[in-house]
Amino acid sequence: MSLFGTTSGFGTSGTSMFGSATTDNHNPMKDIEVTSSPDDSIGCLSFSPPTLPGNFLIAGSWANDVRCWEVQDSGQTIPKAQQMHTGPVLDVCWSDDGSKVFTASCDKTAKMWDLSSNQAIQIAQHDAPVKTIHWIKAPNYSCVMTGSWDKTLKFWDTRSSNPMMVLQLPERCYCADVIYPMAVVATAERGLIVYQLENQPSEFRRIESPLKHQHRCVAIFKDKQNKPTGFALGSIEGRVAIHYINPPNPAKDNFTFKCHRSNGTNTSAPQDIYAVNGIAFHPVHGTLATVGSDGRFSFWDKDARTKLKTSEQLDQPISACCFNHNGNIFAYASSYDWSKVRTPGPALGAPRQQSQALGSEGLGLSCDSSQDSHVSLGRSLSPPCKGKLQDFLKWLWGFSTAFGQNPAHRKCSASVSHYGLLCSWAQKHRQAGGCTL
Amino acid sequence: MAICQFFLQGRCRFGDRCWNEHPGARGAGGGRQQPQQQPSGNNRRGWNTTSQRYSNVIQPSSFSKSTPWGGSRDQEKPYFSSFDSGASTNRKEGFGLSENPFASLSPDEQKDEKKLLEGIVKDMEVWESSGQWMFSVYSPVKKKPNISGFTDISPEELRLEYHNFLTSNNLQSYLNSVQHLINQWRNRVNELKSLNISTKVALLSDVKDGVNQAAPAFGFGSSQAATFMSPGFPVNNSSSDNAQNFSFKTNSGFAAASSGSPAGFGSSPAFGAAASASSGISTSAPAFGFGKPEVTSAASFSFKSPAASSFGSPGFSGLPASLATGPVRAPVAPAFGGGSSVAGFGSPGSHSHTAFPKPSSDTFGNSSISTSLSASSSIIATDNVLFTPRDKLTVEELEQFQSKKFTLGKIPLKPPPLELLNF
C-alpha cells in the first residue's frame, strides 16, 4: 500500500474533492488538510509529547491502520509511517519520551509501535475490543492502561504478557483520560469512576453522572498549579459537564453546558442535538475544545463559562480532535462517526457520496470509504501578550487568518475558487483582519 | 429590594450576584450543601441544573464585558427554578394527582413526582425530535439511576457490528437488528411520553430505587408491559470474545434450554426461535421473565445479570404467541431479533464462542444459531441458577408451573424446575 507519496502540502489532499460540482463544505475553515488521510473514519488523534522535537501526529482509523505524519511549522504534513491492526483502531497514545506509540484496536489487542524501528508488537490482550489506551508515567512505575468493552481496565508492563493489574469496571469502558496522578474512566450505563495512580492504580471514587445520557468522551483538566483537578465529560446529547473532584462548593463549581446543537439559544424550538465526539484541553491556556457530530468544533472557556468560538459547519461530523504539546496546532478529523442511524433506508448499494450530507444514507452504509475522511490542522501564531484571554484571542486570530499569509495556502484556496462560497469567506476574513467571534 | 423580574421568569443572568431579590431561592439554596438533588421538599429546583446561558452565542461586546468579571462569574444557580425541560408547571398531562399511586404522597412529593414525570415527557419529546443518538441510557435527574428500557450502545459498537456483518455478507440481518433496536427504542420513548399508571409506577420506582424493581412491577399486571422493551441487546460482553457478540449475549439459560434442540434453532434464521424449541421454552419464558427480580431491570435484560440466566429469553423472542401467558416477554422478541442476525456472526468468524468461562457468567456468546455453533455447545448452565430444583418451590408455584397458563398475580418469581421444561 503505497499511500505515502511525496507531498507538497495541501491542495493535493488525495481526494477528488475539487472535481465535484456541488458546494464543497469539507473544509470551510480553510485549515490545512493533512495529506494521505486514512481511507476510513478516523477514530482517534494524538500529537507527540514535548520530549520529541517537532510535531508528529498519529491517527487511528476504521481502515485498521495507524498512520504517522510529521507536521512542520510551515503547515506541511509529511506522511511518515503506518502500521496495521486486524481490526479498526479505536485509540492511540504516545509514550512520554515520544519513542513509542500505543494503539488499541477492535481486534482485542493493543500494540506498541516503536517508531525508530517501525516495528509493532502486541502488548495487551482483552476479551473484547480495546476502547482506550493511555500511557502512565509514575515516579515508581510506568505502564499502559487499557480500557475495554469487556468491562475491565488492565495495566500492562510492556514487557510481559500478563497484566500488572486488572480492575473491574461496572460496564463497558467508553472513554478515559489520564493525567498523572489522576485517571478518569467513563463507562456505559452512565458510569463514572476516578482512579488515583500514585503508588499503584486504585479506584478513588465513583461519581454519579452529571449527565443524563450516554457518556461519549472525557478529558481531564489541570488547575493553575498544573495538577489535574477535574474533568470535562461529553455525552451524546450535545452537553458537556465540567466536574471538579474536590471543589470548595460542588453545587456552584460543577456545571454543564449545552453545545453542538442546531439552535443553541432558542431552547423552545425543536433543535437538532448532536453528540460531542471529543474534548481536548489547550495545554497552555486551559481552554477547551469540543468537536461534535454536527461537523463543528467550538472553543470554550470553562472558568469564565463562555463560548469563545465556533467553527463553520463541515459537511461531515468531526470524530476526533487533539492539541499539540504547546497548543499551537489543533487537529481535528472530519469523518463519519455513525451517528446517523435513524431509519435504515435502502442504502445498501447506494453510491458513495462525498461531501454530501449523510442524512439520506440512514445507516451510513455509504460512507465507509476513502474520500470521506480528512484530518485538518488549524495553524496558529504564538501569542506574544499576557493574560489568558488575550492570549487565546490572539491565538484564535492567528488561527483563522494564518492561511492568508502562507503562499501555499493561497494556492489552495485558489484551486477551489469556483466555489464562490468558500472564496468569499476567505476574502472577507482577510479584509476583516480579525476573527469574528 | 426589588424583586428580580428575570428570576421570576427563570432567566436571571446574574444568579447569586444579582442585586435584586430572588424570592424563594435564598433559603433553599443556602441550606443545601451536597450536589445531590433531593426530591422531597425542593420542588422549585429544576431537574437540570444546567445553566442555560452557555448556549448563547457570545457577541463581541458581551465577550469583552465578561473579562472584568474574570474568574468565576458564577452564573450557575444550581437550584434555580428554570424549568427549561420541565416547562410549565401547569401542564396537565391528563393524570390527576388523585389517582391511587400518588394518593399517599405528600403534596410536595406529589409535585416533585409530577415535575419529574413532566420532565421525562419533555425529554422524550426532545430526544425524538432532535435526532440525537438513540441507543443511550437515560436518567431524568442527573444523579439518579437510569430508567429501565433503554440500552447503551455506543456508535463504535454499532459500527463494529456493521463491519463484522460486512465480512459475512449478511448486511440485511444487520439492518434488521438495527431496525429492531430502533423500534424498541421508539416504543419505549412513546411509552414514556404517554404515561399511564403502570408506566408511571414503574418509572417512579425506577428512579427511586434504581432499576431493580422493574421486573416484578411489570410482571404483575400491566398489559402494557408488553411494550416494556427489554432492550434485548445485552451488550455486556464480558469474558468471551465479543467483537461479534455485541448483542447477543444471551445467557446460558437460553442455551441450556435449547440444548435439546440445537437443530431447531439452527434452522430458523429469522427469529432464531425455531418452532420446535418454542414449546419447551415458552413455559419457561415467562418464568424467566419474572424470575429474579434482583437481577435488575428487565431492561438490562441480559446485562446486569451476573448469574442471571434468568433472561434466557432471547430465544423466546421469536415467540410472542407462545408467550401469551406471560405478559411480559413479548418484548424480548426484538431482543432476540438481534439474535437472528447472529446468523451473520458466527460464520465469518470463527468464533464459536465456546468460551464459556464461568458458570456465573451469563454471556453466551451467541453466535450459534445459523451456524452449527449451536446453542448446545458450551453452555454451562448451573442448574440452580437457571432452574430451581423442585423442592425449593412452594406448592403454589409448582402448581403454576404445571398449569397451562400462569394466572396473573400468582406468577412465580423463581425459574421453573428443569424437570418441568419439555423440549
Side-chain angles (χ1 to χ4, degrees):
Chain A
M1 44 196 91
S2 55
L3 9 88
F4 293 142
T6 48
T7 72
S8 55
F10 8 79
T12 53
S13 54
T15 78
S16 52
M17 202 59 69
F18 303 128
S20 68
T22 54
T23 333
D24 176 27
N25 236 3
H26 82 283
N27 186 5
M29 299 299 289
K30 293 299 186 26
D31 292 320
I32 303 164
E33 278 183 57
V34 171
T35 57
S36 298
S37 275
D39 297 327
D40 204 341
S41 292
I42 294 150
C44 46
L45 287 174
S46 184
F47 264 107
S48 53
T51 44
L52 212 53
N55 290 305
F56 291 84
L57 177 63
I58 296 273
S61 83
W62 280 77
N64 301 2
D65 63 6
V66 190
R67 298 189 183 188
C68 176
W69 294 264
E70 175 176 2
V71 180
Q72 297 180 326
D73 291 337
S74 60
Q76 208 170 352
T77 53
I78 306 172
K80 285 286 191 193
Q82 156 171 314
Q83 280 290 333
M84 297 297 292
H85 265 268
T86 47
V89 178
L90 296 181
D91 200 10
V92 289
C93 79
W94 288 80
S95 63
D96 63 306
D97 59 354
S99 62
K100 314 231 182 341
V101 170
F102 298 98
T103 59
S105 158
C106 287
D107 60 6
K108 307 174 197 169
T109 67
K111 292 191 179 174
M112 172 171 82
W113 178 12
D114 184 341
L115 293 168
S116 44
S117 64
N118 204 14
Q119 298 289 327
I121 56 172
Q122 179 180 340
I123 52 157
Q125 178 71 47
H126 272 270
D127 300 319
V130 187
K131 181 70 171 61
T132 66
I133 189 164
H134 291 88
W135 172 252
I136 300 178
K137 177 97 175 95
N140 56 337
Y141 71 95
S142 40
C143 65
V144 175
M145 177 178 97
T146 54
S148 157
W149 289 342
D150 66 356
K151 308 188 192 175
T152 61
L153 201 60
K154 295 190 182 175
F155 297 82
W156 306 84
D157 174 345
T158 57
R159 296 162 296 210
S160 153
S161 61
N162 287 326
M164 284 163 43
M165 179 185 278
V166 177
L167 291 176
Q168 285 297 322
L169 294 171
E171 251 287 350
R172 297 152 279 159
C173 172
Y174 274 173
C175 50
D177 194 15
V178 170
I179 294 188
Y180 185 80
M182 175 168 131
V184 173
V185 175
T187 69
E189 308 279 323
R190 295 168 64 243
L192 195 52
I193 313 171
V194 179
Y195 295 86
Q196 67 86 20
L197 304 169
E198 272 179 68
N199 203 15
Q200 72 168 8
S202 61
E203 198 176 295
F204 174 69
R205 192 188 293 170
R206 293 214 171 178
I207 300 184
E208 295 193 326
S209 169
L211 297 171
K212 297 194 212 169
H213 285 84
Q214 182 183 110
H215 297 156
R216 186 105 176 93
C217 50
V218 71
I220 297 180
F221 56 81
K222 302 188 277 200
D223 60 12
K224 304 233 177 356
Q225 288 80 34
N226 239 17
K227 295 210 172 46
T229 178
F231 56 89
L233 179 68
S235 80
I236 50 113
E237 187 225 351
R239 201 181 286 263
V240 173
I242 301 286
H243 192 97
Y244 289 83
I245 300 294
N246 280 323
N249 189 343
K252 288 196 178 202
D253 295 335
N254 298 335
F255 64 97
T256 69
F257 62 92
K258 295 196 262 203
C259 50
H260 299 292
R261 298 191 174 199
S262 54
N263 51 344
T265 46
N266 184 2
T267 49
S268 55
Q271 50 181 258
D272 292 323
I273 296 183
Y274 297 90
V276 181
N277 284 331
I279 302 182
F281 277 91
H282 191 284
V284 172
H285 302 306
T287 46
L288 78 131
T290 62
V291 291
S293 283
D294 53 349
R296 290 180 200 266
F297 57 87
S298 302
F299 298 108
W300 312 79
D301 180 337
K302 66 172 193 334
D303 300 315
R305 303 197 184 186
T306 55
K307 181 195 298 200
L308 295 169
K309 179 180 163 96
T310 301
S311 73
E312 298 293 323
Q313 182 163 25
L314 274 70
D315 57 351
Q316 289 188 95
I318 303 184
S319 47
C321 68
C322 183
F323 280 102
N324 76 332
H325 65 89
N326 57 10
N328 279 347
I329 311 180
F330 176 65
Y332 56 97
S334 153
S335 52
Y336 186 52
D337 61 353
W338 225 249
S339 52
K340 287 257 189 292
V341 190
R342 290 291 284 175
T343 39
L348 274 174
R352 300 214 182 95
Q353 313 209 3
Q354 40 189 92
S355 60
Q356 290 291 336
L358 304 173
S360 57
E361 277 86 14
L363 297 177
L365 294 172
S366 59
C367 306
D368 51 345
S369 160
S370 50
Q371 297 88 335
D372 292 326
S373 307
H374 314 280
V375 180
S376 300
L377 304 175
R379 283 304 325 273
S380 77
L381 312 167
S382 50
C385 59
K386 305 199 173 108
K388 180 175 84 171
L389 274 171
Q390 292 299 93
D391 277 355
F392 198 60
L393 278 187
K394 276 254 170 174
W395 177 83
L396 285 181
W397 190 89
F399 180 91
S400 36
T401 57
F403 69 89
Q405 293 151 18
N406 187 323
H409 264 122
R410 267 186 245 120
K411 192 168 51 170
C412 173
S413 42
S415 63
V416 289
S417 59
H418 53 290
Y419 296 122
L421 176 67
L422 296 181
C423 198
S424 61
W425 186 92
Q427 266 315 101
K428 177 180 85 154
H429 221 91
R430 267 191 278 251
Q431 282 156 4
C435 65
T436 46
L437 286 183
Chain B
M1 281 218 303
I3 302 216
C4 177
Q5 289 302 318
F6 291 100
F7 175 82
L8 292 179
Q9 291 172 33
R11 329 196 259 115
C12 180
R13 291 176 57 221
F14 298 94
D16 275 346
R17 298 167 52 93
C18 185
W19 296 344
N20 297 318
E21 184 183 341
H22 288 180
R26 280 291 130 230
R32 199 174 65 112
Q33 288 305 317
Q34 62 272 34
Q36 181 114 7
Q37 299 235 16
Q38 287 159 5
S40 61
N42 292 312
N43 48 352
R44 297 256 292 158
R45 282 190 238 138
W47 301 108
N48 51 324
T49 59
T50 60
S51 185
Q52 301 317 312
R53 287 137 221 106
Y54 308 130
S55 49
N56 286 349
V57 174
I58 305 289
Q59 314 299 326
S61 56
S62 65
F63 184 77
S64 55
K65 241 197 277 175
S66 72
T67 36
W69 293 345
S72 51
R73 174 181 67 162
D74 180 36
Q75 285 199 343
E76 164 74 15
K77 216 168 186 265
Y79 19 87
F80 195 64
S81 58
S82 65
F83 296 115
D84 69 333
S85 84
S88 69
T89 44
N90 293 328
R91 180 162 34 135
K92 293 284 175 205
E93 292 291 345
F95 58 93
L97 287 177
S98 56
E99 291 180 76
N100 281 338
F102 303 89
S104 52
L105 299 172
S106 70
D108 256 357
E109 286 177 32
Q110 276 183 347
K111 269 205 224 159
D112 281 345
E113 306 242 341
K114 191 165 164 209
K115 283 203 192 82
L116 177 64
L117 295 166
E118 279 174 5
I120 293 179
V121 172
K122 186 85 196 290
D123 279 347
M124 291 296 126
E125 282 168 16
V126 169
W127 196 346
E128 254 194 330
S129 62
S130 61
Q132 68 184 59
W133 184 251
M134 52 179 101
F135 306 125
S136 155
V137 291
Y138 166 71
S139 156
V141 180
K142 280 196 220 173
K143 316 270 171 140
K144 289 285 191 297
N146 303 332
I147 283 192
S148 55
F150 289 112
T151 106
D152 231 1
I153 304 179
S154 71
E156 286 80 29
E157 286 168 312
L158 200 60
R159 184 178 192 154
L160 192 61
E161 285 313 302
Y162 166 72
H163 274 244
N164 294 335
F165 274 119
L166 256 188
T167 47
S168 70
N169 282 330
N170 202 348
L171 275 175
Q172 199 51 50
S173 31
Y174 166 74
L175 288 180
N176 289 344
S177 51
V178 177
Q179 185 62 61
H180 271 306
L181 283 172
I182 294 179
N183 289 343
Q184 278 180 29
W185 171 79
R186 208 159 263 145
N187 287 340
R188 180 65 174 147
V189 170
N190 286 336
E191 194 180 80
L192 286 174
K193 277 203 303 191
S194 52
L195 295 169
N196 49 27
I197 307 188
S198 51
T199 40
K200 262 183 272 162
V201 173
L203 262 186
L204 293 170
S205 60
D206 261 356
V207 169
K208 292 202 184 101
D209 316 310
V211 207
N212 295 352
Q213 313 300 326
F218 275 91
F220 291 97
S222 48
S223 50
Q224 291 91 319
T227 54
F228 177 53
M229 284 320 116
S230 37
F233 280 93
V235 199
N236 62 349
N237 304 325
S238 42
S239 48
S240 31
D241 52 329
N242 336 123
Q244 320 214 332
N245 291 345
F246 115 106
S247 23
F248 310 100
K249 281 303 141 190
T250 53
N251 329 33
S252 16
F254 165 47
S258 61
S259 52
S261 56
F265 281 91
S267 58
S268 64
F271 263 100
S276 57
S278 59
S279 53
I281 304 193
S282 54
T283 46
S284 50
F288 278 109
F290 302 111
K292 311 246 186 275
E294 70 272 16
V295 175
T296 73
S297 35
S300 44
F301 166 89
S302 50
F303 293 168
K304 312 177 191 164
S305 27
S309 31
S310 53
F311 285 107
S313 33
F316 313 152
S317 52
L319 321 172
S322 54
L323 295 181
T325 56
V328 178
R329 282 318 142 202
V332 173
F336 201 62
S340 61
S341 37
V342 168
F345 277 11
S347 31
S350 49
H351 299 271
S352 26
H353 299 270
T354 44
F356 274 81
K358 332 140 192 181
S360 58
S361 91
D362 49 341
T363 59
F364 175 35
N366 243 313
S367 29
S368 53
I369 329 256
S370 60
T371 65
S372 49
L373 289 185
S374 45
S376 57
S377 57
S378 48
I379 291 47
I380 306 172
T382 48
D383 274 359
N384 54 357
V385 167
L386 293 169
F387 312 100
T388 34
R390 229 174 226 251
D391 41 38
K392 294 228 172 76
L393 290 175
T394 67
V395 175
E396 214 179 69
E397 289 173 336
L398 198 51
E399 203 179 79
Q400 282 292 311
F401 282 128
Q402 283 170 335
S403 60
K404 277 203 156 187
K405 277 184 158 206
F406 282 143
T407 356
L408 283 182
K410 294 210 190 126
I411 304 174
L413 293 177
K414 303 193 198 110
L418 188 50
E419 303 84 15
L420 285 182
L421 296 177
N422 48 338
F423 309 120

